[in-house]
Amino acid sequence: MATIALWFVRSENESNLNFRNRNLNNDNRTFGMALCQGFYIMENALYLEVISLKNLILAYKKAKKGKTKKDYVRKFEENLAYNLKLLHDELKNQIYSPKSLETFILRDPKTRKISKADFRDRIVHHALVQIIGPIFDKTFIHDSCANRKGKGNLFALKQFELFQRKVTNNLQTEAFCLKADIKHYFQEVDREILLKLIKRKISDEKVINLIKLILGNFNDDKRMPLGNLTSQFFANVYLNELDRFVKHKLKSNYYIRYVDDFVILHKSEFQLEIWKEEINLFLKERLNLELHPNKSRIINLSKGVDFVGFRNFYYYNRLRRRNIKNMRRKIDLFKDGKIHYKKFFETFQGWNAYAKWAKSHKLLLDLTKNFMQIYSI
């Protein structure tokens, strides 16, 4: 891999050097012409970073993480240098065209429509997000927790516990929580609005065209497909508008968002009612979205709040019944031979580490015992 990377970087540097020499020395053209050409290069500098062979190699490594034994990864790696160089050339010449998404239904336990990109297209997704991600990430609020480095559901859980203690004076006074969910979020994202938000930070037209190509690779004028890295990233860009409205306009101190679920904690139930209406109005007017009427409500914190997979009480957390039921279902599938041991073991290990954050010692012992009994048969 080091040899491949060295060859890629060397060839890329030589190509860039020859390109500059041709433009600066051809027929002793005027200094003004050279400046114009230099400006053109700078105009597309971001796109050149995205499609650079060095960036594509890193993107390939990230795209294959956890999937090294998949047939499609092995096939791509059979002629790795050629495939990456071909992808680079297609992007460079702007003839790259993504393959159709593979769509399937996932019931885990909710029924969701997942649209999976081809492996080489996933490399492009990673390459794009690696370069433009940091540009947007520095504009995101601290408590936007999904799909960000150093964040995640456990980070969101810790923030909820911290905010809960602050708003209740260390659990001594009453306080409330607006627990909200955006209705059909990924199905209702407006691509035109999304592109306008992206163009605030990205002026490179070639990068914008690549984003349009990715967004357009889905047979729906509005929806963003679940299952792609770019969809997760664009979801944060889109709802960053909501985050900034809540933090800077409403001036809420205790707000946390994880994808399309968010919570706001406050001492006043009445204040949360007002904010709920203002948020719903903002979503409708600015983002063509709305709160889910059945999943957005105000709860007394002492009664427990469902958030990031846990039911959060003052002094402890419990796993949601749905999560427990889902794991029991997977154990049954493993018992019936419908899930391979290695895949199930990885799933169980991850779930076990996650479940330890809740008051679930007895449950974990029971499920682990059940799992070991099956394995020993």
Side-chain angles (χ1 to χ4, degrees), residues 57 62 95-96 98 125 133 140 145 152 208 210 213 218 236 244 255 269 293 296 300 311 316 325 340 343 355:
I57 292 169
K62 289 187 175 181
I95 58 172
Y96 162 75
H125 295 179
F140 295 162
C145 302
I208 296 298
L210 179 59
L213 197 61
F218 193 65
N236 274 341
R244 299 177 72 81
Y255 166 79
E269 183 178 10
S296 302
N300 191 307
R311 189 163 177 80
Y316 60 90
K325 185 179 179 180
H340 188 271
K343 182 179 179 180

Side-chain angles (χ1 to χ4, degrees), residues 116-129:
K116 185 171 68 173
D118 185 77
F119 181 65
R120 79 193 301 265
D121 297 328
R122 279 180 254 170
I123 294 173
V124 175
H125 295 179
H126 278 278
L128 175 67
V129 174

Side-chain angles (χ1 to χ4, degrees), residues 131-367:
I131 300 303
I132 71 170
I135 296 172
F136 287 92
D137 194 78
K138 62 186 179 184
T139 71
F140 295 162
I141 68 168
H142 182 258
D143 297 310
S144 167
C145 302
N147 309 304
R148 296 179 66 196
K149 188 175 180 180
K151 303 294 174 77
N153 50 11
L154 295 182
F155 175 85
L157 180 65
K158 289 181 180 179
Q159 289 299 97
F160 184 89
E161 292 174 349
L162 174 65
F163 289 172
Q164 185 173 242
R165 287 189 172 276
K166 285 186 174 182
V167 76
T168 60
N169 297 317
N170 204 25
L171 311 181
Q172 297 301 309
T173 59
E174 185 179 57
F176 300 86
C177 174
L178 168 58
K179 168 68 174 68
D181 177 281
I182 296 173
K183 184 181 179 181
H184 302 152
Y185 175 53
F186 281 89
Q187 297 177 25
E188 297 297 332
V189 168
D190 189 311
R191 293 183 193 171
E192 290 302 316
I193 294 175
L194 174 61
L195 283 169
K196 286 179 182 178
L197 296 175
I198 291 171
K199 286 178 181 179
R200 289 181 186 175
K201 295 292 181 183
I202 306 295
S203 60
D204 190 321
E205 282 300 319
K206 288 186 177 181
V207 174
I208 296 298
N209 288 336
L210 179 59
I211 292 171
K212 287 180 179 178
L213 197 61
I214 292 170
L215 288 173
N217 190 33
F218 193 65
N219 297 323
D220 195 310
D221 291 336
K222 292 191 82 175
R223 287 183 60 187
M224 281 200 308
L226 278 170
N228 291 328
L229 173 69
T230 45
S231 296
Q232 298 167 7
F233 171 70
F234 293 144
N236 274 341
V237 173
Y238 204 77
L239 285 182
N240 185 45
E241 296 301 293
L242 170 65
D243 298 342
R244 299 177 72 81
F245 173 75
V246 174
K247 294 295 290 185
H248 303 308
K249 182 68 175 179
L250 302 184
K251 299 191 181 302
S252 168
N253 293 322
Y254 307 124
Y255 166 79
I256 311 166
R257 181 176 62 80
Y258 189 87
V259 193
D260 58 338
D261 291 337
F262 65 88
V263 292
I264 304 178
L265 282 62
H266 200 276
K267 294 179 182 296
S268 169
E269 183 178 10
F270 180 69
Q271 180 64 72
L272 289 176
E273 289 284 3
I274 295 172
W275 283 352
K276 180 183 176 183
E277 293 304 316
E278 290 182 329
I279 288 169
N280 209 23
L281 182 63
F282 173 84
L283 288 172
K284 288 178 180 179
E285 292 183 346
R286 296 287 295 274
L287 300 176
N288 284 347
L289 299 172
E290 63 178 308
L291 294 178
H292 197 297
N294 301 325
K295 298 180 180 179
S296 302
R297 57 198 183 96
I298 297 168
I299 307 161
N300 191 307
L301 279 171
S302 64
K303 294 182 179 180
V305 178
D306 283 342
F307 188 52
V308 292
F310 297 91
R311 189 163 177 80
N312 302 276
F313 294 91
Y314 274 0
Y315 298 102
Y316 60 90
N317 305 315
R318 289 194 183 278
L319 285 168
R320 295 174 69 179
R321 291 179 182 176
R322 187 176 69 188
N323 289 352
I324 299 169
K325 185 179 179 180
N326 189 34
M327 180 47 62
R328 291 191 186 278
R329 183 177 62 83
K330 288 182 178 179
I331 290 175
D332 289 339
L333 289 172
F334 172 62
K335 183 179 179 180
D336 294 338
K338 295 179 180 179
I339 299 181
H340 188 271
Y341 165 74
K342 186 173 182 181
K343 182 179 179 180
F344 174 77
F345 186 67
E346 289 175 355
T347 301
F348 187 80
Q349 276 190 313
W351 185 87
N352 189 48
Y354 178 72
K356 284 180 179 178
W357 285 83
K359 186 179 179 181
S360 56
H361 181 68
K362 186 177 179 181
L363 171 68
L364 290 176
L365 285 177
D366 178 53
L367 291 180

